Amino acid sequence: MGERERSAELYGDAGGYESYMGPWSTALAPLFLRYAAVGQPTSLLDVGSGTGNLLAAATEIVPDARLVGVDPSTALLHRARHRSDLRGATFVKARADALPFADGAFACCLSLLVLQEFAGRPEPISEMRRVTHASGVVAACLWDFARMPVIAALVGVLAEIDPVAGVRLAISSPSGEAALARAWAGAGFTEVSTSRITVMRTYEDFDALWRSLLCGSTPSTMTLAALPAGQRDRAYVAMRHRFANPRGSFPIAAEALVVRGKA
Ligand SMILES: C[S@@+](CC[C@H](N)C(=O)[O-])C[C@H]1O[C@@H](n2cnc3c(N)ncnc32)[C@H](O)[C@@H]1O
């Protein structure tokens, strides 16, 4: 059950984020880009770009687009800026609800695993529309947390151990396809559609999964790391009970929701 030094700041540990969520977001990125069907745009803005996994997929799928990422996390931006596969991309420190760009500055605007940070507030969605050309695609992808077994199990276990934390973590859950479509239509998008994407990750054993949880730097993994040792041991036992596979490695499938519209 080893633990390593980590930043106590939300999204403040790029290596920890990558170990916990990187393979998941890397698997989602090309599927989300294909769903978004942005064509071959001149420019693409990634809102909440994190360590750059979506933009890395964009270098393959929309190779001629000018790529820009925004994120408020200094640690994740640093990691993205130093990726050899993202030398042509530009990264800006900014929040999704106050994008530092002119109206219509981008041909399309995407966001992967970020909207849950806003608990249903509309500002990031209207900002994404504002900075996109008229008729440009704006799309978002976020976990269906009930069908993302790692997060669902962790939040469930944390709620049993610390009901207050359970309530806090549940509030940030997204609210399904119909609500996403309403949010997009309410922000003024046309041709709104939603869908689902399924991705798979194989963990080499339960301890590999557990180690990734201990360094995650996301709301739920930080809650786990902050538990007193005795409670964290209870969480280990409960998670092991849910996931342990006596044969070693095991795959987990997870579902994400996607929404798309035209600005
Ligand atoms: C789950 S991570 C997803 C990162 C990246 N898009 C990916 O798929 O790996 C959530 C991201 O949202 C960013 N974030 C948190 N609050 C934000 C805000 N107010 N505006 C924009 N991004 C935010 C975090 O810094 C983090 O990079």
Side-chain angles (χ1 to χ4, degrees), residues 11 17 25 48 50 53 71-73 76 95-96 112-114 117-118:
Y11 297 114
Y17 176 79
S25 108
N53 295 328
D71 202 285
S73 162
L76 302 196
R95 292 175 49 87
L112 176 59
L113 305 180
V114 176
E117 304 295 327
F118 291 88

Side-chain angles (χ1 to χ4, degrees), residues 42 68 74 78 80 116 124 147 169 175 177 185-186 194 198 212 225 257 260:
T42 51
V68 179
T74 303
H78 180 81
Q116 74 282 347
R147 294 191 168 125
L169 292 168
S175 33
E177 282 146 302
T194 60
T198 302
S212 77
L257 298 162
R260 172 190 191 279

Side-chain angles (χ1 to χ4, degrees), residues 184-243:
W184 244 241
F189 292 107
T190 60
E191 300 178 38
V192 174
S193 65
T194 60
S195 188
R196 287 173 175 272
I197 293 175
T198 302
V199 284
M200 191 86 88
R201 174 174 176 183
T202 298
Y203 290 90
E204 105 199 22
D205 54 26
F206 174 74
D207 283 340
L209 167 60
W210 180 252
R211 279 194 303 277
S212 77
L213 298 179
L214 285 178
C215 61
S217 84
T218 66
S220 52
T221 50
M222 287 190 72
T223 303
L224 173 69
L227 288 177
Q231 291 188 354
R232 205 160 57 238
D233 289 348
R234 268 179 65 199
Y236 175 87
V237 171
M239 289 294 283
R240 191 174 170 87
H241 183 68
R242 291 181 197 211
F243 287 109

Side-chain angles (χ1 to χ4, degrees), residues 71-90:
D71 202 285
S73 162
T74 303
L76 302 196
L77 281 170
H78 180 81
R79 175 85 159 217
R81 284 182 175 128
H82 288 83
R83 282 176 72 144
S84 58
D85 57 348
L86 286 176
R87 283 207 188 96
T90 305

Side-chain angles (χ1 to χ4, degrees), residues 45-50 55 66-74 76-78 80-81 89-96 98-101 106:
L45 176 66
D46 176 10
V47 174
S49 48
L55 290 181
R66 179 172 61 89
L67 301 178
V68 179
V70 300
D71 202 285
S73 162
T74 303
L76 302 196
L77 281 170
H78 180 81
R81 284 182 175 128
T90 305
F91 292 93
V92 178
K93 182 164 181 162
R95 292 175 49 87
L99 294 172
F101 305 112
F106 294 92

